[in-house]
Amino acid sequence: MTRAAAPVGTGPAIDSEAKLEFVEFLLTSINAQESSRRAVDWLIAHTAATEAAVLVADGQSNQVLLVAEHGISAGAIIDFSLGRDATAHPLIEALSSPAPVYIEDLPIHQHGPLASRAFHAIPLRSDAKEPGQGLLLVAGAGPTLDPGAAWMGRTLGKQISRLLGRQLLAETRFGQERMLLYSIINAVTDPILLTDTEGKLIIANSHAEKLFAAPEEASEGWRRAAGLNNMLFSAALSTSAVGMTELARRELLLVDPLEGSDLLFELLSSRAKDERQGTYVVSILRNVTDLARAKEEIEESYRTLRVAQAEVRDERHRLDLIIDSVADPILVTDQEGDIVLMNTPAERLFNTPGIDDETALRRVRANGANLTSFVSNVLTRSGEQRYRGEIQLGDPVTGRPLPVEALAGTILSEQGELMWVVTILHDLTEAIEKARLYEQLKQASVELERKVTEATAELAEQNELLRRQHIALEQASALKSQFLANMSHEFRTPLNAILGYTHMLLNNVTGQVSDPQRKSLSRIDSNARHLLALINDILDITRIEAGRMPLNATTFGVGELFEEVQAELEPIIKRSNLAVTTKVRGSVPKLRTDRQKVKQIVLNLLSNALKFTPAGSVTMTASYDTRLKQVGIAVRDTGVGISPDDQAKVFEDFRQLDASPARGYGGTGLGLSICRRLSHILGGTIDLESTAGTGSTFTLRLPAKAKRR
Ligand code: ADP
C-alpha cells in the first residue's frame, strides 16, 4: 500500500475557455450533486482521466456518500459504503490530508468505488485550514497529478463547501439513490422512460435520451426527429393509457435521430403508484426493427418458396399434359434399361397388367425385348445426344405388325453421367403405306405422261389436217363468192330487160292491154322486182364476204340523212298511216364515214319498222356518247315486236320469223344480216331491244370517225 502526496504535473495547459465556462456554471448552480456531476464530466472531457468520482461527507449520518461518478459500475455504486469513523481507511485519511494523495495497491475492500488499482484522492475544501468536506477521485493519468485535476479539486472544493452549508445532505442522499437508479436504468440496453400520466418525462435512461432528447449542438434534423419521436411516444401512451390495465404492449415506429432510418419498437408500458409521486408510467421500448425485418425476410422467402413450389407443380402438370396429349408413345428408361415412366399410348404396347390373354402377353414381352435392345444400343453410344432407329413392334391385341421409328434422347446428371433415356416412337405404318401409294402414283403419272405425248402428236396431226382443210375451204368460199357475184351480174341484165319491157307493156306503149293482161303483167313486174332485190342483196353479201366493199368516207350530218331517208320512203309512210318523227338528242357531231352504207342501214331499219307496225308510231333518234365518241341511231316502233328467243335469229341470212307462204309481209330475209355486216365494216354495231306485242328498237352505233381499213 502506498500513500503519497501526489506531485502536480506540469502537462499541457488546459484551455482557459473551458475553465471559464465551468466556473460560470458553478456560479449559477445551487446543487452540490449537479456541480459534482458537471465536474466529473469536465475531467473526463478535458484531462487524461478515465474514471472519476465525487464523495461527500454527510455530517448527519456520519457517512461518506457518492454523489457523482464516471466509469463506475452499478455494482460498485451499490457496494460502496464508508463511515467517517473508519479512520484507518485510506479514503478517510485522505479526507483530512492537507494535499492530494496518490493511492495505489489498496486491498480490494478498501478500494472505494474506482475499479483502477491506482488513483488520486483530492480533498475538497474551501481553504487549506478547513477539514475536507469531500474527495475528488481521479484515475487513469498515472502517479503525476494532472494540473487540470488539481485545479478542479480546488475549484470544486470551494463550491462544495459553499453549497453544503445551505443544502440538506438528506437531499444529497436522495440524489445518491437517484443516481443509483440512473446507473441501473442506464445499464439496461433498452430505452426506459418514466413519465407521469400526461406523458411528461420524469426520468429517461441514456438510450431513451438518444431517441427523445436533442442536445444543444444537435442538427436541425436531429431536433426534428426527437420532436417527432416525442409526439409519437405520447400519442402511443395516451391511446394505450385509455384502457390500460396492468401491462400494455404495442408496436411503436420511431425515427433514428442520427441516421434518419425507421426504428420499430415494442412498447411495454405499465402504471406504477407511488405515495409521494402519485401515479406514473414506466415504459420500456424494445427494439424489434431487426426482428421485424427478419420476419419480413422470412415471410418473403416463404412467399418465394410458395411461388417456386407452385411453378414446379405447374411445370410438372404441363409436362404430364404434354406427354399425355402426344399421340405417339413416349417412354423414359433408366441406366438399366428399365421403364420408369410412359404415357398412355406407350402403355398399350409395353404394359402387361390387365392382360390375361397369353398371346397378347407374349406380344407385349416381345415389344419390351425389342425396345430394350434399342435402348442398350443408345446406352453404349452415350457420347451422342440423339439416336434414331427403327424397331419392329406388334399390336398386342390384334397382332398387326407395327413398324416404328424410335427417336431417343439422353438426360445427364449435373455430373455428366447418363441418368435416363427418353424414347419417342412414331408409327411408320402410315408412312410406309404413303410411300407405296406414292410409288403407284408415280407410275400412273409416267403412264399418263406417255399417253398425253401420244395424244398431243395425234392432235398436232389433226390440226395440220384441219389447217389444210381450212385453206381449201377458204379457197372454195372465195370461188363461190366470185361465182355468185358473176352470176348475180349475169342475172341482173336480163331481169332489167324483163322489167323494162313489162313497164312498156303496162304503159300501153305496144297497144292497149286488157285488164286480165294488166293483172298478169303487174304480177310479172312485182316478181321481177322481188328477184332483183334478192339478187342485189346476194350481190351485197358476196361483195362483203369477198372483201370487195370499199369504204368511201365523207362528212355529213345525221339530221340531213334522216330527212333524205324519210323522203325516199315517203310513199310507204303515207300508205302506212303511221306517225314518223325524227329527233336529235343533244348536240350530235357530224359523222365522218361511208354515207351510202349508213343510209342503206337506216333505210332498211325504217322500212322494217314501217312493215312490222300495224298502227302507232315510228321514231328515229340520233344521240352522241361523248365518252365512247359514238353516234347512236335508234329506230323505234310500236309494232309486233320480237320474242326474246327470236332476237338473235333475225340477223341470220334468209331468216324471216314468219316463213309461211301465207305471211303478210314481203322481203328477202337478208336485210338485217346485210345491215349487221355493213355496221361491222364501218366499225360499229347493231343491237336490238324488243318486247313481243309492244314494239322494237334497233340501234346502230358508229364511231364518229370511221377508222381507215
Ligand atoms: P325481210 O327482208 O324479210 O324484212 P330482214 O332481215 O330485214 O328481212 O328481217 C328479218 C325478219 O326480222 C323479218 O322477216 C321480221 O320477221 C323480223 N323483223 C325485222 N324488223 C322487224 C321489226 N321492226 N319488227 C318486227 N319484226 C321485225
Side-chain angles (χ1 to χ4, degrees):
M1 182 171 80
T2 313
R3 251 166 294 159
V8 177
T10 43
I14 304 286
D15 184 3
S16 51
E17 274 288 308
K19 285 182 180 168
L20 192 65
E21 197 191 331
F22 180 72
V23 173
E24 272 173 9
F25 168 78
L26 291 187
L27 287 176
T28 56
S29 175
I30 48 158
N31 183 309
Q33 188 173 20
E34 188 187 50
S35 303
S36 305
R37 228 185 290 139
R38 189 68 176 244
V40 166
D41 289 347
W42 192 96
L43 281 174
I44 297 297
H46 296 288
T47 67
T50 54
E51 291 164 58
V54 177
L55 305 178
V56 175
D58 177 14
Q60 233 173 25
S61 65
N62 226 17
Q63 284 282 313
V64 179
L65 302 174
L66 179 63
V67 294
E69 56 78 32
H70 178 94
I72 295 172
S73 67
I77 297 172
I78 296 165
D79 286 349
F80 178 71
S81 99
L82 183 60
R84 268 205 101 154
D85 41 11
T87 43
H89 194 284
L91 288 179
I92 301 296
E93 279 178 24
L95 202 62
S96 45
S97 156
V101 184
Y102 186 58
I103 302 174
E104 54 183 343
D105 289 340
L106 274 182
I108 203 79
H109 66 274
Q110 291 188 325
H111 203 239
L114 296 198
S116 303
R117 311 270 318 144
F119 55 88
H120 292 276
I122 308 165
L124 300 172
R125 60 185 143 223
S126 59
D127 59 72
K129 280 161 252 159
E130 261 186 42
Q133 302 266 27
L135 280 177
L136 172 63
L137 309 183
V138 183
T144 312
L145 183 64
D146 189 289
W151 174 78
M152 181 51 78
R154 288 192 302 278
T155 315
L156 186 64
K158 283 188 187 113
Q159 176 78 348
I160 294 291
S161 57
R162 177 170 74 90
L163 293 179
L164 276 189
R166 306 189 218 158
Q167 202 177 336
L168 278 175
L169 260 183
E171 218 173 284
T172 316
R173 213 176 300 119
F174 171 64
Q176 184 171 356
E177 281 166 20
R178 198 176 152 112
M179 192 180 63
L180 177 65
L181 177 70
Y182 266 125
S183 60
I184 290 169
I185 62 172
N186 274 339
V188 180
T189 50
D190 290 334
I192 298 175
L193 300 109
L194 186 72
T195 50
D196 63 13
T197 43
E198 265 85 60
K200 213 172 102 223
L201 191 69
I202 302 168
I203 304 175
N205 71 352
S206 60
H207 297 286
E209 270 173 3
K210 273 187 205 138
L211 285 171
F212 296 102
E216 269 168 40
E217 70 272 16
S219 67
E220 183 57 28
W222 187 342
R223 249 185 258 279
R224 234 180 286 134
L228 183 67
N229 284 347
N230 273 309
M231 247 159 58
L232 291 168
F233 175 72
S234 23
L237 216 57
S238 67
T239 48
S240 58
V242 175
M244 197 164 71
T245 49
E246 279 284 271
L247 187 76
R249 192 185 284 267
R250 51 175 302 150
E251 283 200 341
L252 177 61
L253 188 71
L254 298 179
V255 185
D256 185 330
L258 291 180
E259 289 175 17
S261 55
D262 282 349
L263 292 174
L264 185 68
F265 289 95
E266 186 185 45
L267 166 64
L268 294 158
S269 41
S270 62
R271 277 164 187 246
K273 264 206 172 99
D274 181 272
E275 265 127 55
R276 267 188 300 159
Q277 304 261 341
T279 308
Y280 53 91
V281 182
V282 180
S283 302
I284 302 174
L285 294 167
R286 198 182 298 150
N287 190 334
V288 290
T289 312
D290 291 342
L291 204 68
R293 207 172 294 143
K295 194 174 139 212
E296 243 169 51
E297 269 168 27
I298 288 170
E299 272 172 8
E300 179 58 34
S301 50
Y302 180 66
R303 258 198 303 280
T304 321
L305 191 73
R306 289 288 298 272
V307 169
Q309 269 177 348
E311 275 174 8
V312 167
R313 223 178 14 251
D314 284 357
E315 196 57 39
R316 173 72 206 226
H317 184 66
R318 247 197 316 270
L319 198 67
D320 284 352
L321 219 63
I322 291 170
I323 290 184
D324 275 342
S325 64
V326 175
D328 286 336
I330 299 178
L331 302 110
V332 181
T333 36
D334 60 16
Q335 306 100 303
E336 269 74 53
D338 293 332
I339 297 173
V340 292
L341 192 79
M342 58 181 150
N343 66 352
T344 322
E347 276 176 9
R348 250 179 59 75
L349 295 172
F350 298 98
N351 218 5
T352 42
I355 302 182
D356 2 291
D357 177 17
E358 189 47 45
T359 345
L361 269 177
R362 215 176 35 248
R363 285 173 188 146
V364 168
R365 278 194 219 106
N367 283 349
N370 285 336
L371 178 78
T372 311
S373 77
F374 170 79
V375 172
S376 59
N377 261 336
V378 178
L379 291 170
T380 52
R381 300 172 174 227
S382 53
E384 290 171 31
Q385 279 274 306
R386 296 246 180 289
Y387 184 73
R388 194 185 286 270
E390 276 188 26
I391 314 179
Q392 265 312 323
L393 299 177
D395 189 313
V397 182
T398 61
R400 185 173 64 86
L402 206 71
V404 295
E405 182 191 47
L407 182 70
T410 52
I411 298 175
L412 307 180
S413 71
E414 266 174 29
Q415 288 72 36
E417 57 188 303
L418 199 147
M419 297 295 287
W420 295 289
V421 177
V422 181
T423 310
I424 302 178
L425 303 177
H426 182 61
D427 187 352
L428 286 178
T429 318
E430 207 175 306
I432 291 170
E433 180 61 15
K434 270 187 188 154
R436 197 181 59 76
L437 286 176
Y438 177 69
E439 198 48 46
Q440 270 184 10
L441 203 69
K442 221 162 75 177
Q443 268 175 18
S445 149
V446 169
E447 178 69 7
L448 196 71
E449 209 171 303
R450 194 182 55 74
K451 283 192 177 150
V452 167
T453 319
E454 272 176 24
T456 313
E458 208 171 295
L459 213 65
E461 219 170 88
Q462 297 218 341
N463 265 346
E464 180 56 24
L465 212 65
L466 277 174
R467 198 180 64 83
R468 285 196 197 140
Q469 278 175 358
H470 178 69
I471 294 170
L473 273 174
E474 263 187 351
Q475 283 170 352
S477 167
L479 280 175
K480 180 204 78 179
S481 298
Q482 188 60 46
F483 169 74
L484 280 175
N486 291 346
M487 282 303 292
S488 305
H489 187 70
E490 292 306 315
F491 280 142
R492 274 208 298 193
T493 319
L495 207 51
N496 277 325
I498 292 168
L499 279 169
Y501 282 106
T502 313
H503 191 70
M504 274 165 43
L505 287 172
L506 280 172
N507 283 327
N508 299 327
V509 175
T510 51
Q512 192 68 36
V513 285
S514 65
D515 278 349
Q517 282 171 334
R518 179 171 293 277
K519 217 173 169 186
S520 297
L521 281 172
S522 295
R523 290 241 172 92
I524 291 169
D525 183 67
S526 83
N527 276 298
R529 276 181 200 285
H530 180 74
L531 193 57
L532 186 63
L534 197 61
I535 288 167
N536 281 339
D537 283 354
I538 289 174
L539 199 61
D540 278 350
I541 289 177
T542 49
R543 275 219 218 104
I544 293 167
E545 293 216 324
R548 283 202 261 132
M549 187 68 105
L551 261 189
N552 185 15
T554 54
T555 306
F556 59 96
V558 186
E560 108 210 14
L561 186 81
F562 280 171
E563 277 170 26
E564 203 176 311
V565 170
Q566 240 179 318
E568 215 152 292
L569 293 180
E570 185 59 31
I572 304 171
I573 293 170
K574 273 225 171 94
R575 240 184 292 137
S576 70
N577 273 330
L578 294 170
V580 177
T581 50
T582 59
K583 255 191 253 169
V584 177
R585 201 180 291 150
S587 81
V588 177
K590 291 204 161 180
L591 275 160
R592 167 109 194 135
T593 187
D594 191 322
R595 188 177 196 277
Q596 188 49 46
K597 293 189 176 65
V598 180
K599 185 179 161 188
Q600 192 180 339
I601 295 168
V602 180
L603 262 176
N604 211 307
L605 295 179
L606 182 59
S607 63
N608 272 353
L610 295 169
K611 211 167 22 167
F612 296 104
T613 307
S617 64
V618 176
T619 321
M620 290 196 288
T621 315
S623 61
Y624 183 60
D625 183 333
T626 46
R627 195 172 60 84
L628 298 173
K629 294 197 167 65
Q630 266 183 350
V631 173
I633 296 170
V635 180
R636 212 181 75 227
D637 63 54
T638 56
V640 296
I642 302 163
S643 72
D645 286 349
D646 290 334
Q647 287 180 8
K649 291 181 189 159
V650 297
F651 292 100
E652 290 171 10
D653 290 346
F654 298 108
R655 176 67 83 167
Q656 292 176 315
L657 295 181
D658 180 7
S660 63
R663 71 194 158 93
Y665 313 104
T668 59
L670 284 171
L672 285 177
S673 74
I674 291 172
C675 286
R676 179 160 271 183
R677 281 181 168 92
L678 287 175
S679 74
H680 288 170
I681 289 173
L682 300 175
T685 53
I686 291 185
D687 295 321
L688 165 60
E689 272 174 59
S690 183
T691 317
T694 43
S696 316
T697 306
F698 284 87
T699 309
L700 167 67
R701 290 192 180 84
L702 293 172
K705 274 188 186 156
K707 288 199 185 87
R708 254 169 232 272
R709 287 198 304 158

